[in-house]
């Protein structure tokens, strides 16, 4: 019976217990909140409990002083002003190719050779004809000299016969000699006159022989030169100092001038003088008043990032492309670089004045919206991941719309733009890249 009484529910206590539990349920959280509020008011809200600020970021970049001197920009390509597709004037099969792409050649250097045994044989025959004609000339000259010697002999004989005639004429008048002696002297004189005339005729004939032989020699020499030219046509030579760019024919191909068939090649190689490389850029008509011959510019090649080369306007072609409303400007390189190759794409900045040495050094710069000034101290908020760090910086001059800094940040760093007043060092942020 007593055990059953222990199991009886006390109605009075049962009515009080739920109310006590309800009060405890509300008092405990309120106490926790009050204690947390007092603690956070003294030490601040922990970073993990703060809501992340939404910030906009920009980049620290490498800026060049030329950007502040740029009047306008244009694009173009590197073009050699001396370029040629080398072909042969003769038709034949390519037998030897002495060069390949990238080979440096000098003017008149043999680049390739066609089969030429037939034209060499013709040249040898013409050389033999020249030798024979030269021998004939020498023989004719010798006969002419012999004829001149006979003339001299005939003249001497004539002088002697004339003296003898005069003597016998004096003697015949005095009747010291017989008429037969007189007649003999007269006959001798007449014979000497005839002999001189004959010798002179021989000289004339010898002169004609020399002239004919010389003409034959000239004809043979002309034929030889023609044969030599035909042989020379089989040697393909470089027309100027330069570099081989491309190869259009291989050994065994038939090379022919003005080739139109698929079986023959018109040119063997393409070459260019790389010392004549210039940038050809299209300039909008609206910018024509801003450029002049000799104007400084800065050239940046897409193939050589980070390399900026000085240049100047070499020529403004006096022709407008009506379809694009542009004028072609040719820009020569002031700074040379062996890595520059034909057909490279280029970005050109036309400058208001020439660059001095200090203008050619890159600078570290950032957007003005990232700079915060507190008295004399300037700083910026660098973003690493989703956390910002306050970094002191030293500002200098401006390049365009950017502020140059000398220390504190590096190119490539990400910084907060227009930092909100509540931003603090070490805060987490929600980055929204610009």
């Amino acid at each position: 019976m007593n055990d059953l009484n222990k199991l009886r529910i006390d109605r009075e206590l049962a009515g009080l217990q739920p109310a006590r539990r309800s009060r405890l349920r509300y008092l405990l959280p309120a106490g926790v909140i009050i204690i947390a509020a007092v603690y956070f008011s003294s030490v601040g809200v922990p970073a993990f409990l703060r809501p992340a600020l939404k910030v906009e970021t920009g980049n620290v970049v490498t800026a060049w002083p030329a950007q502040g001197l740029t009047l306008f920009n244009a694009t173009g390509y590197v073009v050699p002003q001396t370029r040629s597709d080398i072909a042969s004037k003769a038709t034949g099969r390519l037998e030897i190719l002495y060069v390949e792409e990238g080979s440096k050649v000098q003017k008149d250097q043999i680049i390739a050779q066609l089969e030429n045994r037939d034209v060499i044989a013709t040249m040898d025959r013409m050389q033999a004809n020249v030798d024979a004609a030269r021998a004939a000339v020498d023989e004719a000259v010798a006969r002419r000299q012999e004829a001149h010697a006979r003339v001299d002999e005939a003249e001497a004989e004539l002088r002697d016969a004339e003296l003898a005639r005069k003597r016998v004429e004096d003697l015949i008048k005095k009747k010291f000699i017989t008429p037969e002696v007189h007649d003999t002297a007269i006959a001798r004189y007449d014979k000497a006159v005839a002999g001189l005339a004959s010798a002179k005729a021989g000289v004339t004939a010898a002169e004609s022989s020399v002239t004919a032989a010389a003409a034959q020699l000239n004809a043979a020499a002309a034929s030889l030169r023609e044969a030599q030219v035909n042989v020379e046509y089989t040697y393909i030579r470089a027309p100027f100092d330069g570099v081989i760019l491309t190869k259009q024919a291989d050994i065994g191909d038939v090379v022919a001038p003005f080739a139109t068939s698929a079986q023959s090649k018109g040119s063997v190689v393409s070459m260019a003088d790389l010392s004549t490389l210039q940038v050809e850029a299209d300039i909008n008509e609206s910018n024509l008043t801003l450029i002049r011959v000799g104007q400084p510019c800065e050239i940046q090649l897409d193939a050589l990032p980070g390399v900026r080369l000085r240049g100047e306007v070499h020529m403004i072609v006096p022709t407008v492309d009506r379809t694009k409303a542009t004028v072609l400007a040719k820009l020569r390189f002031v700074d040379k670089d062996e890595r520059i190759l034909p057909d490279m794409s280029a970005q050109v900045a036309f400058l208001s004045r020439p660059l001095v040495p200090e203008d050619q050094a890159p600078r570290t710069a950032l957007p003005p919206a990232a700079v915060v000034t507190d008295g004399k101290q300037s700083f910026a908020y660098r973003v690493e991941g989703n956390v910002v760090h306050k970094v002191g910086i030293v500002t200098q001059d401006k390049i365009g719309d950017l502020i140059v800094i000398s220390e504190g940040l590096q190119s490539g760093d990400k910084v907060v733009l227009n930092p909100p007043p509540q931003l603090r060092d070490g805060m987490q942020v929600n980055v929204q890249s610009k």
Side-chain angles (χ1 to χ4, degrees):
M1 187 67 178
N2 292 333
D3 294 334
L4 293 175
N5 290 333
K6 292 180 180 178
L7 297 175
R8 183 182 302 165
I9 298 174
D10 189 344
R11 300 296 181 182
E12 183 178 355
L13 294 176
L16 295 176
Q17 188 67 27
R20 182 181 301 173
R21 288 201 302 269
S22 177
R23 286 195 299 273
L24 291 175
R25 184 169 63 246
Y26 289 111
L27 289 175
L28 183 59
V32 173
I33 293 174
I34 293 171
I35 294 172
V38 173
Y39 175 79
F40 291 157
S41 64
S42 61
V43 300
V45 179
F48 66 89
L49 294 178
R50 301 172 192 162
L53 288 175
K54 291 183 179 181
V55 295
E56 193 175 57
T57 62
N59 293 320
V60 179
V61 298
T62 298
W64 298 79
Q67 295 175 226
L69 305 174
T70 300
L71 300 176
F72 66 95
N73 295 288
T75 60
Y77 294 91
V78 177
V79 179
Q81 302 305 299
T82 302
R83 180 172 182 167
S84 178
D85 292 330
I86 312 301
S88 170
K89 193 173 181 180
T91 299
R93 190 175 301 277
L94 186 61
E95 188 174 46
I96 303 176
L97 187 61
Y98 294 100
V99 297
E100 59 185 2
E101 291 87 344
S103 297
K104 293 183 179 180
V105 296
Q106 296 180 341
K107 182 179 180 182
D108 295 330
Q109 178 180 337
I110 297 177
I111 295 175
Q113 177 183 326
L114 306 181
E115 291 180 346
N116 57 6
R117 285 178 288 277
D118 53 344
V119 291
I120 288 179
T122 301
M123 182 183 68
D124 293 340
R125 187 178 72 251
M126 294 299 104
Q127 181 64 59
N129 292 340
V130 168
D131 295 340
R134 185 173 289 111
V137 169
D138 294 339
E139 183 179 357
V141 169
R143 288 197 298 268
R144 183 181 62 183
Q145 292 174 347
E146 183 179 353
H148 279 291
R150 285 197 296 269
V151 167
D152 295 339
E153 182 180 355
E155 288 176 345
E157 176 63 23
L158 178 59
R159 288 192 297 271
D160 187 53
E162 187 176 5
L163 290 175
R165 188 196 65 178
K166 289 180 180 180
R167 285 195 300 269
V168 296
E169 285 180 351
D170 291 339
L171 294 174
I172 196 64
K173 290 178 182 179
K174 297 177 181 180
K175 297 181 180 181
F176 289 163
I177 60 174
T178 62
E180 291 79 5
V181 176
H182 177 265
D183 293 340
T184 301
I186 295 300
R188 180 189 173 193
Y189 173 77
D190 293 339
K191 183 179 179 181
V193 171
L196 178 60
S198 176
K200 289 183 177 180
V203 169
T204 301
E207 292 285 355
S208 298
S209 297
V210 171
T211 302
Q216 292 178 353
L217 176 60
N218 291 336
S223 298
L224 176 61
R225 287 193 297 271
E226 181 182 2
Q228 290 172 338
V229 169
N230 290 334
V231 172
E232 181 61 28
Y233 284 159
T234 64
Y235 298 104
I236 303 174
R237 298 179 181 271
F240 49 82
D241 296 347
V243 175
I244 303 300
L245 301 180
T246 58
K247 183 177 65 172
Q248 280 91 32
D250 292 309
I251 295 175
D253 288 340
V254 175
V255 178
F258 313 109
T260 57
S261 65
Q263 289 75 25
S264 59
K265 303 296 179 67
S267 61
V268 178
V269 296
S270 175
M271 64 173 293
D273 183 358
L274 299 188
S275 65
T276 65
L277 291 177
Q278 294 185 356
V279 174
E280 294 185 357
D282 290 328
I283 308 301
N284 290 329
E285 288 181 341
S286 58
N287 292 325
L288 281 180
T289 57
L290 300 178
I291 65 172
R292 68 184 188 282
V293 174
Q295 180 176 354
C297 58
E298 188 176 59
I299 303 170
Q300 186 174 11
L301 303 173
D302 294 347
L304 303 176
V307 177
R308 294 173 179 256
L309 304 171
R310 291 177 301 160
E312 66 178 21
V313 179
H314 171 70
M315 177 191 301
I316 302 173
V317 179
T319 303
V320 177
D321 186 339
R322 65 173 65 181
T323 60
K324 299 188 293 183
T326 59
V327 174
L328 182 66
K330 296 186 178 183
L331 318 169
R332 75 174 188 88
F333 289 94
V334 175
D335 295 329
K336 305 293 185 179
D337 195 312
E338 293 183 354
R339 295 172 293 177
I340 302 175
L341 298 175
D343 299 326
M344 282 185 173
S345 57
Q347 308 290 330
V348 182
F350 293 86
L351 308 178
S352 58
R353 64 168 176 82
L355 296 176
V356 294
E358 52 267 26
D359 292 335
Q360 296 181 270
R363 312 285 180 84
T364 302
L366 75 169
V371 179
V372 179
T373 302
D374 183 7
K376 295 182 179 181
Q377 177 64 35
S378 297
F379 59 90
Y381 288 98
R382 182 177 62 214
V383 180
E384 296 181 2
N386 290 327
V387 179
V388 297
H389 299 281
K390 184 177 180 181
V391 179
I393 58 176
V394 177
T395 60
Q396 295 181 327
D397 53 352
K398 295 184 67 176
I399 295 180
D401 295 331
L402 300 175
I403 294 179
V404 177
I405 60 174
S406 60
E407 60 181 60
L409 295 169
Q410 296 180 349
S411 179
D413 288 344
K414 185 180 294 185
V415 292
V416 177
L417 300 179
N418 300 309
Q422 64 270 32
L423 187 63
R424 295 291 183 272
D425 184 28
M427 271 190 170
Q428 289 190 348
V429 292
N430 183 5
V431 176
Q432 296 179 340
S433 298
K434 184 176 181 179

